[in-house]
Amino acid sequence: MKHANWILLCLFLMCCISLQAQDEKPKQLASEELWKELPDLDRALSDSVPLDTSTVILSNIQIPRSFMRTRPNELLHAAYMDDFFHKVANRKNKSVRVVHLGDSHVRGHVLPVAVRKKLEEAWGGEAMVSTKITYQTSAYAQETGENGFIFHALGKNGATLTYFQDEAVLREVASLHPDLVILSLGTNESHGKFDGASYQLALADFHQRLCALCPGVTLLLTTPPGSYKRRMPNRVGGQVAASQRSFAASHKLPVWDLYEIVGGDVRACMNWRNARMMAKDGVHYTHEAYNLQGNLLGEAILKAYNESMKRWTK
């Protein structure tokens, strides 16, 4: 009798173990299915703050009234900035970086700092340490570690496009992880032997290599402001500007045509000189002029940004 009871007890325990084992498999499968349904945490965190598609208030920076034959201060082909502007709208989730490259006009730091301040007023400066930038300091921003708008500048006295085609310089630019590169060149090209076809090939090479090192980057060209050569307005500056405009149109790039905005071949140089905003060498500009140029560029970018946000929200 005891032996029979022992057999029954063993059978009962085996049944319980079998039932428990059968229950474990559905539980395991259910757990796996629940895990598959969990959201992508990285994506959820990156989209944690809604896009800021609000427009910004413009201060309507004015070109001096004494300037003649001026044109509206706006970007050409501004719609090609839309990808960059979408990143700006998402800057609370992921920082957006601008790198301003150029010759001595940028190296003096007054012009790019004016651009930076103009854009910082609209897009915030929490991602950058507030430090004084002078000719003796770097114009690279110090980042705070917070997400937001970040602006770097790199200028080289006497630079032409060839300088920025150098592999080491390109890699230095890429190390800043730019979403937008502003390329402000042309003055030094206009004081040498200029060939439009060769220049456009060089621009194509620079653009291709920049995009390879910085996928998704937007390139914004700015034309030279004008200069004198042998005490006469340097008309080659107009040829450089025309070549830049042509390249921008054929490669779907935005361009800020300062040369035409301030008077073109007829008045650009004379407007600056008559307003006493040009240096004695007829090539460089006063602090006031560079500050004006930077504010005009910043304003033109913000005008395009507002239009882009309006299209985005329609």
Side-chain angles (χ1 to χ4, degrees):
M1 186 69 179
K2 289 182 180 181
H3 181 70
N5 289 339
W6 175 252
I7 293 175
L8 290 174
L9 178 61
C10 290
L11 291 173
F12 175 75
L13 290 174
M14 290 175 65
C15 289
C16 290
I17 292 171
S18 176
L19 289 172
Q20 184 178 5
Q22 290 175 7
D23 288 343
E24 284 300 323
K25 189 172 183 180
K27 287 180 181 178
Q28 183 179 357
L29 290 173
S31 176
E32 290 175 355
E33 292 301 320
L34 287 172
W35 177 254
K36 290 178 181 178
E37 293 176 4
L38 286 175
D40 185 329
L41 295 180
D42 289 338
R43 180 175 297 177
L45 289 172
S46 68
D47 296 335
S48 58
V49 180
L51 293 180
D52 179 8
T53 56
S54 58
T55 57
V56 298
I57 299 174
L58 302 176
S59 52
N60 294 317
I61 303 297
Q62 298 296 316
I63 297 172
R65 292 183 179 180
S66 63
F67 280 35
M68 301 176 63
R69 299 178 69 92
T70 60
R71 296 189 178 184
N73 177 38
E74 56 193 22
L75 302 183
L76 301 178
H77 320 303
Y80 296 136
M81 292 280 286
D82 280 355
D83 286 346
F84 168 71
F85 289 147
H86 182 264
K87 294 176 184 178
V88 172
N90 191 49
R91 65 191 180 279
K92 297 297 182 181
N93 294 309
K94 184 178 180 181
S95 289
V96 58
R97 294 174 172 84
V98 177
V99 179
H100 193 170
L101 306 177
D103 48 31
S104 56
H105 299 315
V106 173
R107 172 63 185 88
H109 292 171
V110 178
L111 190 162
V113 167
V115 180
R116 168 180 165 169
K117 288 182 177 178
K118 190 69 182 172
L119 299 180
E120 194 174 358
E121 288 174 3
W123 298 334
E126 61 275 5
M128 294 182 286
V129 178
S130 179
T131 56
K132 186 175 182 180
I133 297 174
T134 69
Y135 189 83
Q136 286 72 34
T137 70
S138 166
Y140 286 176
Q142 297 180 40
E143 300 188 23
T144 64
E146 294 187 42
N147 287 333
F149 165 67
I150 298 166
F151 190 101
H152 301 290
L154 173 62
K156 174 71 173 176
N157 291 334
T160 62
L161 182 59
T162 302
Y163 174 78
F164 291 102
Q165 288 177 278
D166 181 80
E167 184 69 19
V169 177
L170 270 171
R171 290 196 176 278
E172 181 179 354
V173 173
S175 71
L176 300 172
H177 308 292
D179 297 290
L180 170 68
V181 168
I182 303 173
L183 188 66
S184 298
L185 293 171
T187 296
N188 294 308
E189 280 88 346
S190 73
H191 283 262
K193 293 183 179 180
F194 180 74
D195 177 72
S198 298
Y199 186 61
Q200 290 208 22
L201 288 174
L203 280 171
D205 174 74
F206 171 82
H207 185 216
Q208 181 179 13
R209 292 166 63 198
L210 176 68
C211 290
L213 289 171
C214 310
V217 71
T218 296
L219 177 62
L220 167 63
L221 301 179
T222 80
T223 66
S227 63
Y228 281 86
K229 189 175 183 179
R230 300 186 185 93
R231 299 185 179 183
M232 295 293 292
N234 183 8
R235 303 300 187 199
V236 181
Q239 296 176 31
V240 175
S243 187
Q244 291 172 339
R245 289 194 302 270
S246 175
F247 180 82
S250 61
H251 287 76
K252 298 182 178 181
L253 300 177
V255 60
W256 184 59
D257 191 0
L258 176 61
Y259 189 77
E260 289 297 325
I261 289 170
V262 296
D265 282 337
V266 178
R267 292 293 310 187
C269 294
M270 294 176 65
N271 281 335
W272 291 116
R273 186 187 64 182
N274 292 346
R276 297 184 178 181
M277 299 178 80
M278 184 174 275
K280 291 182 180 180
D281 63 7
V283 175
H284 298 94
Y285 292 82
T286 65
H287 187 286
E288 178 188 9
Y290 283 129
N291 189 61
L292 173 62
Q293 292 171 13
N295 275 284
L296 286 171
L297 175 53
E299 187 92 344
I301 291 172
L302 292 178
K303 284 180 182 178
Y305 174 76
N306 280 350
E307 292 304 312
S308 181
M309 291 303 100
K310 289 177 182 177
R311 289 193 297 272
W312 181 263
T313 54
K314 281 184 179 180

